[in-house]
């Protein structure tokens, strides 16, 4: 992200030097171009949406987002208005007069940034001509059958046209344009080919070929320097897209990526080393009460417990107060997201907990959308049974309470046999009989279309985690995004995350990783890897990540089996924590949210959170050799842990000023140059 009261801009006005001069924001126009502006597809939408407020606060009326027009999104997310900036207004008018349909307004998110949206379908009649322009600019042809690439060509051509109109009427203001991913890259290529006087930045959040190769279960990171890039892209029929991405990278004045691990990948896949790494952040909101997030955890945990009561009716022979809720969420990419290694580690964790005769139960949710045709009947029945039992209990309680009240008014000690009559006992017996079931609790909440070939279900069958009574690890696959309107689990994703104890994301390919970052902001510990951008970022900036609730699995330098054992060790260690230790860890995790706040990300370079000074240095440091009940508290730890003192020290650490140290290519860094 471009931030700061002033900016050193590369090649402004067509000048070739790395640094021209330090310019105030008032003399600049910043355009951010992405296919996911007002259009939610993946993580880039989250990046742009969360940093919009911080960017708009610093750039004011000189900040604009460029994206595609979709009627539904326009009606629900954008308030149309007239451009205030004269150059932008004249550019919009000029394009509309020449047969385009350009919409302008404010995006109704925090910060209310200006958006310029192009109607792709309205300009599709220019497709053949624009294909010729792209071929002349960089000799890249696009097949007629690749509709997505054709849409990106139209979008990029409109973007370059718009930027030309802006620069023609900029009245001495310099123009900076940041392009996200290959989808926006054609606008950058054409702008450079036409020698527009703008400074260009290209940001890759993941390489095209990297995603394809990792999805094919190839040992990607150990063979980065051995791939025949052209051959691999051609075999996957994405060669033209790869060429567009690589051309964008090499045309940009400044090339950035979101993490160190993606920078290594980009250097090999795209043949250019990023000039700067700009980590992704979140718009962090702090509660007025310090421990409010702990109260939210307790509240939403109770709602998850209600779901579990229904799902496991007839098999509820475990203590919900000694049950830990773990989850994995994201796109259904079985290997890339680490669901394979997670399931294997759960099998090993189940063995350890049974061997040590633990009274801890681990409930694991897989929130990964897949093809389904309806809810599972047995799952719906479970929630109906739970509700019926709740109604029966309340009915009996009302009658019991009234009779008890009347007896006490008469000054009598009631006889319980008189208070509960035969009808009450019959109702309760019928309720108990209704909880009996002949089958095991289902491992999925929906009817899967490809049940026999589904990777998660196939692995569950192989490792035998069928929610038996003897299993200490229970598994629930919820193949649909969470919603507060669901009849099964009526919770939004944020509410569900707050109610869980641990998020587990052992990804093999994760250029950044918003899921563990969101857990951190909400004060929920998480498991990540050193192949995710988030994991690398935490390793760099936190001296003891485990003490702060960030467990980092080594998937880069260890074999898959060793990585699985390490993950099992982390999960088993988490199960051994007492309730007090988990509370301490959640407090520490929540304090890391400042590291991920867009307001501070520009200051984190060279910063490292110190190891907590309290003893033990991490909650696992003084654990027993086998899991203990969650209500056990370590009195010695209570005496040696000063929460307020530790929290204040962390707050001062993240907000204290310091100087940035890394300067690319040996250049002297100007103030504000590399603020994200």
């Amino acid at each position: 992200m471009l931030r700061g009261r002033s900016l050193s801009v590369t090649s402004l006005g067509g000048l070739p030097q790395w640094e021209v001069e330090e310019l105030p924001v008032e003399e600049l126009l910043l355009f951010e171009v992405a296919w996911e502006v007002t259009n939610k597809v993946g993580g880039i939408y989250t990046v742009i949406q969360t940093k919009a407020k911080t960017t708009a606060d610093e750039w004011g009326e000189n900040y604009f987002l460029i994206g595609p027009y979709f009627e539904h999104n326009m009606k629900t997310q954008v308030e149309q208005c007239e451009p205030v900036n004269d150059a932008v207004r004249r550019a919009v008018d000029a394009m509309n007069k020449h047969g385009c349909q350009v919409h302008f307004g404010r995006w109704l998110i925090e910060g209310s940034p200006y958006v310029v949206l192009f109607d792709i379908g309205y300009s599709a009649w220019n497709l053949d001509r624009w294909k010729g322009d792209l071929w002349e600019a960089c000799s890249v042809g696009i097949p007629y059958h690749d509709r997505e690439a054709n849409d990106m060509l139209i979008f990029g051509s409109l973007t370059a046209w718009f930027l030309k109109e802006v620069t023609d009427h900029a009245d001495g203001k310099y123009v900076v344009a940041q392009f996200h991913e290959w989808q926006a890259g054609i606008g950058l290529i054409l702008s450079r080919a036409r020698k527009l006087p703008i400074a260009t930045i290209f940001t890759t959040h993941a390489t095209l070929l990297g995603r394809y190769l990792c999805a094919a279960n190839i040992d990607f990171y150990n063979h980065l320097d051995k791939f025949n890039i052209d051959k691999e892209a051609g075999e996957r029929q994405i060669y033209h897209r790869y060429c567009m991405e690589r051309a964008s990278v090499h045309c940009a004045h400044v090339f950035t990526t979101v993490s160190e691990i993606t920078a290594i990948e980009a250097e090999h896949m795209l043949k250019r080393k990023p000039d700067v790494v700009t980590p992704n952040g979140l718009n962090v909101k702090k509660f007025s009460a310090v421990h409010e997030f702990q109260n939210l955890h307790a509240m939403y945990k109770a709602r998850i417990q209600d779901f579990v009561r229904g799902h496991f009716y007839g098999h509820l022979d475990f203590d919900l107060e000694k049950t830990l809720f773990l989850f994995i969420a994201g796109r259904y990419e079985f290997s890339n997201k680490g669901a394979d290694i997670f399931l294997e580690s759960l099998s090993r964790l189940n063995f350890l907990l049974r061997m040590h005769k633990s009274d801890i139960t681990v409930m694991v949710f897989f929130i990964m959308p897949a093809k389904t045709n309806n809810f599972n009947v047995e799952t719906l029945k479970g929630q109906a049974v739970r509700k019926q039992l709740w109604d029966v209990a309340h009915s009996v309680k009302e009658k019991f309470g009234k009779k008890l009240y009347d007896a006490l008014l008469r000054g009598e000690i009631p006889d319980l046999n008189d208070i509960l009559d035969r009808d009450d006992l019959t109702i309760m017996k019928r309720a108990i009989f209704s909880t009996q079931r002949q089958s095991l609790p289902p491992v999925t909440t929906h009817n899967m279309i490809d049940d026999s070939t589904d990777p998660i279900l196939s692995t569950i069958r192989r490792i035998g985690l069928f929610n038996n009574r003897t299993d200490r690890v229970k598994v629930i696959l919820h193949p649909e995004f969470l919603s507060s309107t669901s009849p099964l689990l009526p919770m939004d994703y944020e509410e569900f995350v707050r109610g869980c104890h641990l998020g587990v994301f052992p990804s093999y390919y994760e250029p950044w990783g918003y899921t563990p970052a969101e857990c951190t902001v909400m004060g929920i510990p998480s498991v990540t890897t050193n192949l995710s951008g988030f994991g690398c970022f935490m390793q760099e900036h936190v001296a003891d990540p485990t003490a702060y609730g960030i467990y980092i699995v080594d998937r880069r330098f260890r074999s898959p089996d060793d990585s699985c054992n390490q993950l099992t060790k982390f999960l088993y260690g988490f199960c051994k924590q007492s309730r007090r230790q988990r509370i301490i860890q959640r407090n520490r995790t929540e304090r890391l949210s400042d590291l991920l706040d867009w307001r501070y990300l520009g200051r984190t370079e060279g910063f490292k959170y110190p190891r907590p000074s309290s003893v033990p240095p991490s909650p696992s440091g003084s654990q027993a050799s086998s899991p203990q009940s969650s209500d056990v508290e370590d009195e010695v730890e209570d005496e040696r842990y000063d929460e307020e003192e530790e929290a204040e020290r962390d707050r001062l650490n993240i907000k204290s000023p310091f100087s940035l140290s890394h300067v690319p290519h040996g250049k002297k860094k100007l103030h504000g140059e590399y603020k994200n």
Side-chain angles (χ1 to χ4, degrees), residues 112-267:
S112 300
Y114 289 124
V115 290
V116 180
L117 304 177
F118 302 129
D119 190 325
I120 306 301
Y122 200 83
S123 300
W125 59 277
N126 291 296
L127 181 60
D128 289 339
R129 177 166 61 87
W130 286 341
K131 280 187 176 183
D133 292 344
L134 181 65
W135 179 262
E136 291 178 7
C138 59
S139 300
V140 175
I142 299 177
Y144 73 91
H145 58 76
D146 190 343
R147 180 171 179 176
E148 184 180 7
N150 286 322
D151 285 348
M152 301 312 154
L153 172 61
I154 298 170
F155 177 55
S157 299
L158 290 169
T159 300
W161 184 357
F162 176 79
L163 291 174
K164 182 184 184 306
E165 295 290 342
V166 169
T167 54
D168 286 347
H169 305 97
D171 292 332
K173 286 191 175 182
Y174 296 108
V175 178
V176 184
Q178 181 180 10
F179 300 82
H180 291 272
E181 285 291 301
W182 72 274
Q183 290 97 329
I186 290 180
L188 189 157
I189 296 168
L190 295 175
S191 297
R192 294 285 282 143
R194 295 165 185 172
K195 295 181 169 53
L196 299 186
I198 64 174
T200 56
I201 303 161
F202 184 78
T203 300
T204 183
H205 298 257
T207 68
L208 262 174
L209 196 53
R211 282 199 185 279
Y212 277 85
L213 290 172
C214 287
N217 289 323
I218 290 175
D219 188 5
F220 181 65
Y221 291 98
N222 288 324
H223 294 86
L224 273 175
D225 57 343
K226 299 179 178 64
F227 289 116
N228 183 332
I229 305 298
D230 294 333
K231 175 176 176 291
E232 297 288 352
E235 287 179 350
R236 288 160 177 78
Q237 299 184 10
I238 57 166
Y239 187 70
H240 56 289
R241 295 189 184 190
Y242 166 72
C243 290
M244 290 155 57
E245 180 183 38
R246 185 166 168 177
S248 303
V249 167
H250 287 270
C251 285
H253 295 111
V254 178
F255 173 41
T256 80
T257 188
V258 296
S259 65
E260 294 291 347
I261 193 70
T262 313
I264 297 170
E265 173 189 344
E267 187 174 1

Side-chain angles (χ1 to χ4, degrees), residues 311-356:
H311 193 82
F312 285 85
Y313 81 92
H315 287 258
L316 203 63
D317 52 358
F318 51 90
D319 187 351
L320 281 174
E321 292 305 316
K322 296 179 182 178
T323 299
L324 301 178
F325 298 126
L326 280 60
F327 79 99
I328 181 173
R331 288 189 301 274
Y332 200 140
E333 296 177 7
F334 185 66
S335 299
N336 280 0
K337 296 298 181 184
D340 51 355
I341 187 176
F342 186 28
L343 281 165
E344 184 61 40
S345 68
L346 289 177
S347 176
R348 301 179 188 186
L349 175 65
N350 188 46
F351 171 78
L352 287 174
L353 294 175
R354 291 173 62 179
M355 184 180 69
H356 288 287

Side-chain angles (χ1 to χ4, degrees), residues 67-79:
Y69 167 83
F70 294 99
E71 184 178 5
H72 174 72
N73 294 341
M74 185 75 184
K75 287 181 177 179
T76 58
Q77 299 184 49
V78 180
E79 179 185 19

Side-chain angles (χ1 to χ4, degrees), residues 432-605:
I432 292 172
F433 289 159
S434 72
T435 64
Q436 296 178 358
R437 73 197 305 180
Q438 302 303 317
S439 60
L440 293 172
V443 295
T444 178
T445 58
H446 292 61
N447 294 322
M448 305 288 287
I449 290 179
D450 298 319
D451 183 293
S452 60
T453 59
D454 182 80
I456 291 179
L457 294 181
S458 298
T459 306
I460 288 174
R461 295 185 190 104
R462 178 177 62 80
I463 62 180
L465 281 180
F466 296 122
N467 296 336
N468 285 299
R469 291 181 184 273
T470 55
D471 287 332
R472 298 272 43 90
V473 175
K474 318 284 187 181
V475 177
I476 301 173
L477 169 60
H478 188 282
E480 193 176 73
F481 283 128
L482 295 169
S483 169
S484 58
T485 60
S486 169
L488 286 183
L489 189 56
M491 302 177 73
D492 289 331
Y493 178 72
E494 180 179 336
E495 296 171 345
F496 176 78
V497 172
R498 288 191 182 278
C500 288
H501 294 92
L502 182 72
V504 185
F505 314 102
S507 306
Y508 183 77
Y509 187 78
E510 192 71 81
W512 175 246
Y514 259 117
T515 41
E518 288 165 341
C519 285
T520 302
V521 168
M522 289 184 263
I524 303 301
S526 62
V527 176
T528 182
T529 73
N530 61 352
L531 289 180
S532 77
F534 174 81
C536 294
F537 181 79
M538 285 300 172
Q539 276 186 322
E540 180 183 355
H541 296 295
V542 182
D544 184 5
T546 303
Y548 284 90
I550 309 295
Y551 299 88
I552 302 175
V553 177
D554 184 357
R555 295 205 64 183
R556 187 176 182 189
F557 302 110
R558 294 192 184 199
S559 69
D561 189 62
D562 286 345
S563 298
C564 188
N565 284 333
Q566 186 185 22
L567 176 56
T568 306
K569 181 181 176 182
F570 284 153
L571 298 179
Y572 185 61
F574 189 81
C575 291
K576 292 196 294 185
Q577 291 183 7
S578 67
R579 183 190 298 273
R580 172 66 176 168
Q581 288 170 327
R582 292 199 302 271
I583 290 172
I584 291 173
Q585 193 177 57
R586 281 199 296 272
N587 286 334
R588 289 175 176 169
T589 302
E590 196 272 340
R591 289 203 297 274
L592 289 183
S593 60
D594 281 340
L595 270 179
L596 301 169
D597 194 327
W598 284 114
R599 293 173 297 173
Y600 301 128
L601 268 178
R603 307 173 52 163
T604 57
E605 191 171 342

